[in-house]
């Protein structure tokens, strides 16, 4: 009986290991749990754009001539775009650089987990925090600054693809820039500086109609400017189009630029991503 029992247990087929997608979902759950365990990071991530929205909307709250909106209303979609880029580009650029420097990536590379599962986990984290951040800013904007939610399905559809393309493009750009810092100590400076500059020349902190054209042209090379413009087109009345550089929302061009950044960001990731630091070879 003992021999039979042993043979039965040995011959039983082993359970199937989860695939890339299943491991990516599990990895995403782990990333989200780790994120919320760091309370100071959670508070800073979600409070930063809300605090800036409150400050700028309180300082600049007059009507913008000929646009049918107030300055405070202009800041709501701008801060939403900034929040999306913060939870994707800035978050991934810094966190992946730190994990590489602490040899976390090197250890993960030596496990049977497919590399794609690691990146899927990061995307789940970015998607979750991006949705939460956007919901918080929408709540503040509609409650305190009289921003109206879209009343038709077309605008919500526009919001959906702008959010997805913008988040994806910024996330891929964040993964790509994570290879630039030489150490974890320099990661914040390397990532935050270009993000801060982009916020000033993309219509986040300063209204588009007051930024020099050459700065706007530089900002137009990156996704944040188009993310801001698209969200203004969703949440502001059409009368506010006069403030845009082209005098219209340009949804078609926004889709092309954001989609191009998704493709270009992926190519940059494939060309630049490293599992080890330069000093490790």
């Amino acid at each position: 009986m003992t021999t039979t029992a042993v043979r039965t247990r040995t011959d039983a087929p082993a359970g199937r290991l989860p695939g890339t997608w299943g491991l990516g979902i599990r990895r995403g759950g782990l990333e989200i749990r780790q994120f919320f365990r760091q309370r100071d990071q959670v508070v800073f991530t979600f409070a930063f754009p809300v605090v800036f929205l409150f400050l700028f909307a309180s300082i600049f709250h007059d009507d913008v001539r000929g646009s049918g909106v107030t300055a405070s209303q202009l800041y709501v979609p701008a801060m939403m775009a900034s929040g999306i880029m913060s939870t994707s580009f800035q978050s991934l650029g810094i966190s992946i650089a730190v994990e590489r420097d602490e040899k976390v990536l090197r250890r993960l590379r030596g496990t049977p987990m497919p590399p794609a599962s690691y990146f899927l986990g990061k995307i789940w984290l970015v998607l979750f925090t991006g949705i939460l951040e956007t919901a918080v800013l929408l709540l503040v904007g509609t409650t305190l600054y009289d921003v109206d939610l879209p009343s038709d399905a077309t605008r919500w559809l526009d919001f959906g693809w702008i959010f997805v393309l913008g988040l994806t493009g910024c996330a891929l750009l964040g993964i790509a820039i994570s290879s630039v810092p030489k150490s974890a100590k320099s990661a914040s400076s390397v990532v935050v500086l270009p993000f801060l500059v982009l916020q000033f020349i993309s219509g986040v902190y300063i209204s588009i109609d007051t930024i020099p054209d050459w700065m706007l042209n530089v900002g137009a090379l990156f996704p944040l400017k188009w993310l801001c413009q698209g969200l203004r087109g969703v949440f502001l009345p059409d009368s506010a189009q006069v403030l845009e550089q082209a005098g219209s929302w340009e949804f078609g061009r926004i889709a092309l630029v954001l989609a191009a950044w998704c493709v270009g960001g992926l190519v940059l990731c494939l060309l630049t991503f490293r599992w080890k630091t330069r000093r490790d070879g």
Side-chain angles (χ1 to χ4, degrees):
M1 294 179 62
T2 303
T3 303
T4 303
V6 171
R7 184 178 294 121
T8 301
R9 288 195 297 269
T10 304
D11 295 341
R16 292 182 60 186
L17 294 175
T20 301
W21 182 256
L23 286 172
I25 293 177
R26 296 185 184 187
R27 182 72 195 178
L30 176 62
E31 293 276 0
I32 293 171
R33 288 195 298 272
Q34 288 178 337
F35 173 78
F36 280 98
R37 284 172 183 166
Q38 302 176 24
R39 296 184 180 179
D40 54 342
Q41 181 183 4
V42 174
V43 172
F44 178 82
T45 299
F46 292 114
F48 186 84
V50 175
V51 170
F52 267 68
L53 172 59
F54 177 77
L55 289 174
F56 279 100
S58 298
I59 297 171
F60 307 102
H61 54 269
D62 295 333
D63 293 339
V64 180
R65 183 181 300 177
S67 66
V69 297
T70 62
S72 57
Q73 289 174 322
L74 275 176
Y75 279 113
V76 175
M79 288 302 172
M80 286 171 58
S82 177
I84 291 171
M85 193 165 187
S86 174
T87 56
S88 53
F89 171 78
Q90 180 174 289
S91 174
L92 293 185
I94 295 174
S95 65
I96 293 177
V98 170
E99 289 176 357
R100 181 184 295 110
D101 193 57
E102 294 178 348
K103 295 181 172 56
V104 174
L105 295 186
R106 189 174 181 177
R107 292 194 294 270
L108 287 174
R109 192 69 179 94
T111 67
M113 183 183 72
S117 297
Y118 170 77
F119 296 108
L120 282 173
K122 291 295 185 184
I123 294 299
W124 282 117
L125 171 64
V126 165
L127 181 62
F128 184 84
T129 53
I131 290 174
L132 198 55
E133 178 83 90
T134 303
V136 170
L137 287 166
L138 264 181
L139 178 63
V140 174
T142 54
T143 303
L144 300 180
Y145 303 113
D146 298 324
V147 172
D148 296 325
L149 294 177
S151 57
D152 60 281
T154 302
R155 286 292 177 93
W156 281 114
L157 181 62
D158 289 334
F159 170 73
W161 64 258
I162 290 169
F163 177 86
V164 171
L165 290 179
L167 187 77
T168 303
C170 291
L172 291 170
L173 191 56
I175 294 173
I177 202 174
S178 71
S179 297
V180 176
K182 294 182 178 180
S183 67
K185 293 181 179 179
S186 63
S188 295
S189 300
V190 171
V191 176
V192 171
L193 179 59
F195 179 42
L196 183 62
V197 172
L198 282 177
Q199 289 178 93
F200 276 97
I201 65 175
S202 300
V204 175
Y205 298 144
I206 302 174
S207 179
I208 284 290
D209 61 332
T210 60
I211 301 175
D213 284 343
W214 72 268
M215 285 190 179
L216 285 177
N217 293 333
V218 173
L221 298 174
F222 299 92
L224 183 57
K225 186 262 185 187
W226 302 100
L227 192 53
C228 288
Q229 185 170 319
L231 292 178
R232 283 195 295 269
V234 171
F235 294 103
L236 297 181
D238 288 338
S239 58
Q241 293 183 84
V242 296
L243 300 176
E244 301 298 332
Q245 189 177 19
S248 65
W249 299 130
E250 298 182 290
F251 283 124
R253 179 172 292 183
I254 292 170
L256 288 174
V257 173
L258 294 182
W261 265 109
C262 290
V263 176
L266 179 59
V267 172
L268 283 175
C269 290
L270 294 174
L271 293 176
T272 64
F273 188 81
R274 295 177 290 105
W275 293 92
K276 297 184 292 184
T277 61
R278 293 184 180 92
R279 61 178 177 270
D280 292 331

